[in-house]
Amino acid sequence: MLLIGCFPGSLSINVPFFTVPLARAHGKSFAHRSDLRQAKRILVKLGSAVVTRGDECGLALGRLASIVEQVAMLQNQGREMMIVTSGAVAFGKQRLRHEILLSQSVRQALHSGQNQLKDMSLPVLEARACAAAGQSGLMALYEAMFTQYSTCTAQILVTNLDFHDDQKRRNLNSTLHELLRMNIVPIINTNDAVVPPPEPNSDLQGVISIKDNDSLAARLAVEMRADLLIALSDVEGLYDSPPGSDDAKLLDTFYPGDQHSITYGTKSRVGIGGMEAKAMFNKLQVKAALWALQGGTSVVIANGTHPKVTGHVITDIVEGKKVGTFFSEVKPAGPTVEQQTEMARSAGRTLASLEPEQRSEIICALADLLTERKDEILSANKKDMEHAVSTGRLSPAMLKRLSLSSSKLNSLSIGLRQIAVSSQDSVGRVLRRTRVANNLELEQITVPIGVLLVIFESRPDCLPQVSALAIASGNALLLKGGKEAANTNRILHELAQEALSIHGVKDAIQLVSTREEVEDLCRLEKMIDLIIPRGSSQLVRDIQRAAKGIPVLGHSEGICHVYVDHEASVDKAIKIIRDSKCDYPAACNAMETLLVHRELLRTPLFDQIIDMLRTEHVKIHAGPKFASYLTFSPSEVKSLRTEYGDLECCIEVVDSMTEAVDHIHKYGSSHTDVIVTENEDTAEQFLQQLDSACVFWNASSRFADGYRFGLGAEVGISTARIHARGPVGLDGLLTTKWVLRGEGHTAADFSEQGSMTYLHENLPVAQVLPGRRTTS
Amino acid sequence: MLLIGCFPGSLSINVPFFTVPLARAHGKSFAHRSDLRQAKRILVKLGSAVVTRGDECGLALGRLASIVEQVAMLQNQGREMMIVTSGAVAFGKQRLRHEILLSQSVRQALHSGQNQLKDMSLPVLEARACAAAGQSGLMALYEAMFTQYSTCTAQILVTNLDFHDDQKRRNLNSTLHELLRMNIVPIINTNDAVVPPPEPNSDLQGVISIKDNDSLAARLAVEMRADLLIALSDVEGLYDSPPGSDDAKLLDTFYPGDQHSITYGTKSRVGIGGMEAKAMFNKLQVKAALWALQGGTSVVIANGTHPKVTGHVITDIVEGKKVGTFFSEVKPAGPTVEQQTEMARSAGRTLASLEPEQRSEIICALADLLTERKDEILSANKKDMEHAVSTGRLSPAMLKRLSLSSSKLNSLSIGLRQIAVSSQDSVGRVLRRTRVANNLELEQITVPIGVLLVIFESRPDCLPQVSALAIASGNALLLKGGKEAANTNRILHELAQEALSIHGVKDAIQLVSTREEVEDLCRLEKMIDLIIPRGSSQLVRDIQRAAKGIPVLGHSEGICHVYVDHEASVDKAIKIIRDSKCDYPAACNAMETLLVHRELLRTPLFDQIIDMLRTEHVKIHAGPKFASYLTFSPSEVKSLRTEYGDLECCIEVVDSMTEAVDHIHKYGSSHTDVIVTENEDTAEQFLQQLDSACVFWNASSRFADGYRFGLGAEVGISTARIHARGPVGLDGLLTTKWVLRGEGHTAADFSEQGSMTYLHENLPVAQVLPGRRTTS
C-alpha cells in the first residue's frame, strides 16, 4: 500500500487516500514509449492545458477543441477514452464576472449616471461558486464539440468521499464501464460546489480543481485499469534540475528508482503565493503519476499549452513519440540516446586529438576484423535474412541489399584500407598561415565537425564505411540503422568499437537502438552537428523536414538533364544518353529529361536516339514543345520537374544551348547536367553558364559519384549551395578553426595611438600534394 | 454601378444583385498591407475555414476556436468586428445523422434484432434542413466561445431579398451599427432554411452557404463601410496560373487591372462534380472580392485551414504580414520583391560570367562614385539624420552609426579598392584537377553561391561594402536596410547600380523597400540561397528563427572566455584581459567570462586583475566556485552562459587547464576563447583540445575579426560548424562546382566488361599565392 497524493484544503496531507489493493489492478504498465501504441484504455487529464492565465482567466478554447479532436479520433480507432477535465472554475468566472458587471452597472448607473462597463473593478470571485456556475456551460461546450465527431459524452462529478466508500466506488466503476461499453466518453470533474472552501492565499485561478484532478486522475486510472494516463499540464515535463538553470534537462523517461533526483521547479511568472502553490502542484502531479504507475498504469506528463504541438500532443504520445516525460517502471539496460550522444562527443574529442597514424590504425584494425570475424558477421546477417524472408516484408531488391557475403566483406575491407590512407592528412591540416604582426601568427586548420548522425536503410555494409569515414575525419558518430538489419548492425558496431578500443576511444561510435524514432533524433538540436541520411530520396526529404536547426547533408532530388546540341556526335550522343538513363535508372544521377536541339528533329540522329530508347524499353513522355512538333505524340508530361527514377524519361525540344540552360535552371534540381556537342565554344559556355553542382561535357551523368570522381569513399551527393556541393568525400566531414599565437598582443596595440601595425603576410603552409588541398 | 457576384440556385446569374451606389461607400481601401494596421471596422468571412471535409463532414472546432480568439482579441483592441459564418449545414448534418441513426436503429431493431449503429448506411441529407437544425447549435457554440473573452455576440440571419428592399437594408444597417456601438460582435449567416433548394449534383458539403457567403460578405462589407474584408477559404489565395502546375505562383497582391491573368484552379481532390462547383466558388470569391474593393473595402483572401498559421492568420493579416492575396486598387510603381529577386538572380548570372577584371572594374567604379558624388550622399544622409533627431527614436550610439562624413566615405572607398584587388582570383578558381581516365578530366572550381539577402541595421556604410563583396564574389544581392537610413541607402544603391551598369548588370543588386517585412523576406525559400544578417545579436536570432529552409550566416551569441593559467605572465594577463573586456564591450568577441587557475587566488596577479577591472569600471559577477572561495563575494551569476555585452563580466575559478576547457565546452558559444600562459605545452594542448571557431594563445579575443585576420573585408563571424567558421571573408560567399570534360565516356566503359579503368591522377592546378587558396 502506497501513500502519496492528497486533497488540498481541510483534509490532512498525510491521510492515506485510497484503498484499492494494488495487486488487483492490471492495466498495462509499458516499458517503452513505442508500446503505448497498444494502449486501449486511455485517461486524459486536462490540467492547465484548457485554462488560460493572465488577467483574463478563461478557457483556452483552441486547445480544448484540439484535445477534443484528438480524443474523438482515438476513440474512433476503437480506444476507450476518458477525460478528467478542469476549466469549470475558469468558465464560471467569465460568466459570474459578466453577471456582476451587469448588476454593478445598474447600481452605478443609479448612483452616478455613468455606464462605463470597461473601467469597473472586479471583485475576487469565490472559486467554488465559479465552478458551480461554469459546470453546465463547460459540459454544453464539450457536448457541442464532441457532437462534431459523432461522439457522445457523459458527465460525471465526484468528490473524494466517493472513493472512501467501497459501495460508491463500485457504483462509479460500473457506471464508467457501462459508458465505455457504449462508446461514450465520460467527462469527469470534481464536484467543486460541495468541497470545502480553498485555503486563503492559495492560487485561485482554477488551481483548486487542477490540484484535485491530479490525484483524481491517478485514482480513476488505477480504478479503471487504464493502460495509459496522459496528464497535460503547462510544463514540458520533469527536469533533472530546476528548469531555467544552466544544466536543466528535460527527462524523456523517468524511473521511480531515480526519484531522489527530482527538483520541483518554481515558476517565476506566477507571483510569490502562486510559486508555492505551483511547486506543490508539480510535486502532487509527480506523486500522482508515480502512484498510478505503481497501480499498473503508464503515465506521460506533457505540456498541453505549447502552440506548436497542442494539435497533436495526445496522438503523438499514443504513437510513441518523445513528448513530455514518460514514467516507466522498467529501466532499460543501456544508456539513453542523449547519454550516448554525450559519450560519443566526449570520446570523439579524444579521437580528434589522436595522431593521424593512430586513427589510421583504428581503421585498419576494423578492416582486419571484418575478415577475421567473417563467420560471426555472416551468421548474424543470416539471422536478419531469415527473419526478412519469413516476414516477407522486403522486396527482392531490398533483400539483396541486406545480404552480406564473404566477397562483399573482402571488398569492404579493401575500401576501408583506402580510407585509412586518405585519413593521414585530413584532420589538423594547415590551410592558411598569416603573419598578422610581429610574433602574432594565425593558422587556419581543419578540424572535425563534431557529432554526426548517420541514418541508413537496409544496407548494413554502410556501417563500417561510415564508421571509417568518421574515424578518418575525427568525428563522433551516432548510427541509426534499419530494423531489418538489426543483428548484422549489432555485430558490425561491436567490431567498430573493438577497433576504437585500441586507442581508448571505444565510445566515439554509438549505435542507436532501433526503438528510437528518426524524428526524435532529429530534434537533438544542441547535441548533433550534422545529419547525413543515406537511403531513398523519401528518407532524405523526411529528415530534412524533421531536422529543424541541424544541417542535413544530402539531396532530395536528382532531376538530371542531357542536352544534345545540333553539333553533337551521333555516337557520343547515343552512348551518353543510354548510359545516363539505363545504366542504373533508380540512381539520383540518372537522366530524367533529354533536351534536344530543334534542328535535330527529323534527322537520323534523332531517330537513332528514339530507337535506342525503345530498344532499352524506356518509356517516353513528351514535353509541351516537343508534343507540338509531333502529329502523334507520346503522353505529355504532367510536370517538367519529374524524377522518374525508372526506365522513363521526358523529351523536350529547345531552340539553342541558351534555351537549354534556361530550361535546366527553371526545372532542374542543380544536381548534374550534361551537354553533348562537338563545338568546344558551345560546350564551354554551357559549362560556364549552367549553375549545377556537376556540369559535364560529352560524359555520362552517371559519373557524378564520389568514387568515380576519385574522392575515395563518398558521404553522399549534396545539392545544397553551402558547405559541400556535388559528391562529398572526407572533406565534407571537416570544418576549420583559427589558431592565433601571440605574445600578449591586444587590439589596442594597433589603434592610432598604438605601437604596432598589421603585416598580414601570407606564410607558406606545409607542402601538400597538388590537388589534395581542397575546399570542404 | 458594377455587376458581379450572384446567388446560386434559381436566381439568374446575371441579375444585378445590389444597388447601393458605390460613391456613397467610404470604407478605406488601403494601398499597402502595412496600412491594414489602421483598419477599424473589419468583417471576417469564415468560409471552408470552419468546415472539415472528407467523409465525416463537420465543424473544424480547433480552427473555429482560434478564429474566435483572434476576433475577440482584435475587438478588445477597439476594432469593430463582424463575422459572416458558415458551418450551420455542417453542424446540423452531424446532429441530423445522429437522429436518423437513432430512428433507423429502432426500426432495424424491430426488424432484425440488431443494434449495430456503426455499420449503418446514411442517407444524403438535405442541406437546408441541416442548416435549420444546425443554426441554433452553432450560435450556442459561438456564444460559449466568445463568453470566454467577455465578448457578447448577436445572431443575424439574412436572405438576398433583404438586400433588394431598401427599407429592409436600412433596417439591417442600423441594427448592425447599433450592435457594433455596443461592442457586440454580430454573427451573420444566410437564412438557409428559407432559400430555394440547391441544384441537384452540386456539392452538398456546406458549399451552399459558402457560395452565398462570399457575395453576402462583400455586400455587408460595402454596406457597413468596412475597412477590411478578410475572406478565409481553403486555398492559399490567387495564383497566376493553375495551382499545382510547374509555374504557379501565389499572388501576394492583386490589382484589378490584372484581372485577365486569373486562372481559376480546379481542385482535383474534390470529385468531378465538386471540381466544377469549386471553380465556380473560386471565381465567385474573386468577383465578390473585386466588388468589395470597388466599393471601398480592402480585401484579403487567405487560407484559414492551414494548421501552422490558423492560430494567427487574422491577426497576421491585420498586422500587415504577407498572408494570402491582398486586393489593392493601387499598383505600386516598382517591382515586387519576388520580381526583384528574379531580376537579381538573372543579372547575377551575367555578373558571375564576367571576367574577374570586369568585376574589379565595377568595384573600382563604385569606389570612385563614393567620393565623386560625396555631396549627394551626404545631403541624403543629412535628411536621415535630421529625421532621426526630430523623431528622437535613435540612441546617441545609433545616431553615430547612421551618420556619414567625408572621411568615412574616403576610407570606405579605400576599402572597396582592396576588395577589388582580392576579387581577381575569387570566382572560377580551380581548386582541384583530376585525370579520371584518359581524356576524362575533372575540375572543381569556385562559383558564387547565388542570391544573397543581406539585412543590415542603421549603418548605411554597410551597403557599399556588402555590394562590393557580392560583386567580387559574383553573387546577386538583395539589400534590406533600416528605415532610419532610407534616404542614404537609396542614393548609395543608385550608385552601386550605376557602377554595375558599366558591364550591363545593373539589376544584380536590388534594394528592397523598407515596407517589406524581414520575416516575409525570410520565407522566399526557393529564391534566396543565403541570408546574412548584419546587426545586433537580437536581429540575428530573429532571422535564424524566421528563416526556415534558407541557411543563415552568422552567430547569435559570443560568450568568449579568457583563461589565465597559473603559469601566466602578469603583464600579458592584465593587458589581454583589459583589451578583451574593455576595448569594445558590446562586440561579440569581447570577453564575458574570466577563468582563473585556482593557484592564482590570493596572489598579487589576481589582485592586480581585480584592481584593473575596478579601475575600468567593470562590474564583476562571481561564478559559484569563485563565490565559495570568498568571504564577501560579488553578486553570484544567474547563469554561466550570460553574454553581458557591457562593462560586466563573470569570474570563475578552475583547477586546471583541462577544467577550463571543460567549462568552455559546457558554457561557451564556440566563438573565441583565449589562454594566457607561458607554458607552451599547456598552450598547445588548450589550442588543440578546445573546440571553438577561434582559439588564441596570449592574444586578445578582440583579434577575432576578418580585417584583423587579414581576410580583407568581413562578411561576419560564423559560429556554425559547416560552410564557414569564425571570421568570414570573400571565401564564405563562394561555393564550388564540378566540371567534367570527356569524349563520350560512360560509366559502363568502366564496368567489369568495359574497356577503361580509373586513373584518378591528381593534376597540378594553376599557381596561386601560398595561403590564398583556402577552404570556404
Side-chain angles (χ1 to χ4, degrees), chain A residues 232-443:
Chain A
L232 295 181
S233 158
D234 58 355
V235 293
E236 297 302 317
L238 246 65
Y239 288 82
D240 58 354
S241 43
S245 68
D246 278 343
D247 303 309
K249 268 184 215 148
L250 179 67
L251 292 174
D252 163 55
T253 310
F254 176 74
Y255 311 98
D258 295 347
Q259 190 178 358
H260 58 278
S261 67
I262 301 183
T263 313
Y264 296 100
T266 53
K267 305 185 53 174
S268 52
R269 71 184 161 86
V270 188
I272 288 293
M275 266 169 68
E276 285 157 8
K278 206 65 203 170
M280 184 170 140
F281 147 49
N282 284 343
K283 208 178 275 185
L284 275 180
Q285 192 167 47
V286 172
K287 285 188 176 175
L290 289 173
W291 192 85
L293 184 65
Q294 297 228 8
T297 294
S298 287
V299 181
V300 174
I301 293 183
N303 190 342
T305 66
H306 200 295
K308 275 195 190 155
V309 301
T310 304
H312 41 83
V313 60
I314 298 174
T315 46
D316 278 359
I317 288 170
V318 175
E319 277 168 26
K321 291 192 184 154
K322 289 199 173 177
V323 185
T325 300
F326 171 55
F327 286 68
S328 171
E329 285 198 305
V330 189
K331 191 164 186 171
T336 67
V337 66
E338 288 82 2
Q339 287 165 340
Q340 283 187 301
T341 315
E342 277 307 317
M343 285 156 66
R345 183 180 293 278
S346 167
R349 284 188 170 136
T350 315
L351 174 69
S353 66
L354 295 178
E355 295 298 316
E357 293 70 31
Q358 293 176 307
R359 282 189 292 269
S360 176
E361 277 166 34
I362 295 173
I363 301 172
C364 290
L366 178 55
D368 290 342
L369 286 169
L370 286 181
T371 48
E372 283 167 20
R373 308 274 284 274
K374 198 188 317 193
D375 295 343
E376 280 175 64
I377 302 170
L378 292 180
S379 108
N381 188 243
K382 206 175 151 216
K383 263 196 227 167
D384 285 329
M385 289 293 290
E386 283 169 0
H387 185 255
V389 170
S390 72
T391 57
R393 275 190 307 196
L394 293 190
S395 65
M398 296 275 275
L399 276 178
K400 203 176 152 199
R401 298 176 69 199
L402 177 58
S403 127
L404 288 182
S405 64
S406 212
S407 71
K408 261 197 191 177
L409 289 176
N410 282 335
S411 40
L412 251 180
S413 181
I414 294 167
L416 257 56
R417 280 173 216 284
Q418 289 170 352
I419 297 175
V421 173
S422 66
S423 77
Q424 301 272 358
D425 73 337
S426 63
V427 180
R429 199 166 71 237
V430 179
L431 300 173
R432 176 198 278 256
R433 280 181 69 207
T434 308
R435 179 172 292 129
V436 175
N438 281 331
N439 298 319
L440 186 64
E441 269 191 36
L442 179 72
E443 273 182 8

Side-chain angles (χ1 to χ4, degrees), chain A residues 59 148 246 449 639 721, chain B residues 59 148 246 449 639 721 737:
Chain A
L59 279 190
Q148 288 304 305
D246 278 343
I449 287 181
S639 165
R721 302 194 65 88
Chain B
L59 281 190
Q148 287 305 305
D246 277 344
I449 286 182
S639 164
R721 302 194 66 90
K737 83 176 173 191

